[in-house]
Amino acid sequence: MRRIMVANPKGGSGKSTLAVHLASWFARNDELVYLGDLDRQQSTARWLAGRPRSLAPIRHWDIAGDEFDAPPKDCTVAILDTPAGLHGKRLKLALSAMDRIVVPVSPSRFDMLASRDFFEELAETKAVRKDRVDIAIVGMRVDPRTNASRLLVEYLQQFDLPLIACIRQSQRYVQAVETGVTLFDGNRIDPVDQLHWRPLLDWLVRRR
Ligand SMILES: Nc1ncnc2c1ncn2[C@@H]1O[C@H](COP(=O)(O)OP(=O)(O)OP(=O)(O)O)[C@@H](O)[C@H]1O
Ligand SMILES: [Mg+2]
């Protein structure tokens, strides 16, 4: 089973957008996907409730309150969306149940600085120190050909963290998510977007 958590304590960094896209991509690839939502706002869970039934099924991973139940046994891919401000005991608990963590970071100076404490906390976590969890950074709303992505790579070097992919800013993400779908649900994803997602998807399916 692949257990993937999407996290960044900075609000609005693109966690839920990433989480639902990953869930639908795996679902379209015939995986048995469960999507969990630790956020009290339950935006991902609500998105899932509004997802058209005709699309590749994504199941709801029910995570009650502060308790953290393991994903159901029949699951092949578990995706966990997390809330802004996740840190401390709850972060450790979630990390101990996951084996990959995807961190969306926007290239703004403020967002990068806000991520600093999180990267430092991650590095000190036992699961990361013991190599039980792999971390990938995704530039969110970043065109990989721009100066912004170069600055992000430079910034991440100090933490020894890889910028695995950059996803460009596009209204399509906003519009799709509003209707319970993702860019992967249509018959033809724009080849440029496909290219942007590819390195992250390859990284996620690679054996650890
Ligand atoms: N690549 C993108 N292009 C354009 N808009 C985007 C992109 N990614 C995310 N957004 C938009 O940015 C806003 C914040 O994204 P999202 O809700 O995914 O962030 P979040 O980290 O889950 O936020 P929160 O911390 O509040 O849970 C949303 O309106 C979303 O549609
Ligand atoms: Mg969210």
Side-chain angles (χ1 to χ4, degrees):
M1 186 198 303
R2 293 176 208 286
R3 294 170 301 181
I4 303 161
M5 163 169 148
V6 185
N8 184 337
K10 178 88 173 68
S13 54
K15 298 177 285 293
S16 301
T17 305
L18 255 180
V20 299
H21 274 79
L22 293 178
S24 85
W25 184 79
F26 278 110
R28 280 208 69 156
N29 282 280
D30 299 325
E31 299 284 356
L32 225 145
V33 181
Y34 277 83
L35 180 60
D37 191 355
L38 275 187
D39 196 339
R40 286 186 215 286
Q41 287 176 24
Q42 292 285 293
S43 32
T44 303
R46 278 200 225 123
W47 171 86
L48 190 53
R51 181 169 169 81
R53 289 192 186 279
S54 54
L55 300 177
I58 300 170
R59 289 155 178 83
H60 176 55
W61 175 13
D62 195 6
I63 305 166
D66 287 338
E67 289 305 311
F68 199 88
D69 299 326
K73 288 221 162 38
D74 61 347
C75 165
T76 63
V77 178
I79 311 252
L80 182 63
D81 188 19
T82 62
L86 180 70
H87 74 107
K89 208 171 140 199
R90 277 189 101 205
L91 171 66
K92 283 199 186 73
L93 203 62
L95 274 173
S96 66
M98 296 283 134
D99 41 39
R100 311 248 182 178
I101 165 163
V102 179
V103 185
V105 181
S106 114
S108 94
R109 198 78 212 146
F110 290 137
D111 283 31
M112 287 196 265
L113 290 173
S115 305
R116 173 181 292 273
D117 291 347
F118 182 57
F119 292 148
E120 285 171 1
E121 188 177 355
L122 272 185
E124 286 162 16
T125 309
K126 201 163 151 199
V128 176
R129 276 195 281 113
K130 301 222 161 193
D131 252 358
R132 283 201 295 263
V133 60
D134 290 334
I135 306 170
I137 312 297
V138 174
M140 202 54 166
R141 296 177 218 161
V142 193
D143 191 313
R145 297 161 307 180
T146 58
N147 200 34
S149 80
R150 192 181 53 76
L151 289 175
L152 201 50
V153 171
E154 279 174 18
Y155 176 73
L156 292 169
Q157 269 165 3
Q158 63 187 298
F159 307 104
D160 200 18
L161 288 170
L163 181 67
I164 296 279
C166 285
I167 313 284
R168 69 175 165 175
Q169 163 123 10
S170 164
Q171 270 308 106
R172 269 184 284 215
Y173 288 104
V174 185
Q175 287 155 1
V177 167
E178 269 169 15
T179 52
V181 304
T182 74
L183 267 55
F184 294 122
D185 287 313
N187 283 331
R188 254 169 45 92
I189 178 169
D190 184 306
V192 175
D193 293 314
Q194 177 86 47
L195 207 67
H196 290 176
W197 281 90
R198 196 72 256 167
L200 174 62
L201 302 172
D202 287 346
W203 182 81
L204 287 170
V205 297
R206 208 174 296 150
R207 277 186 188 280
R208 295 192 66 231

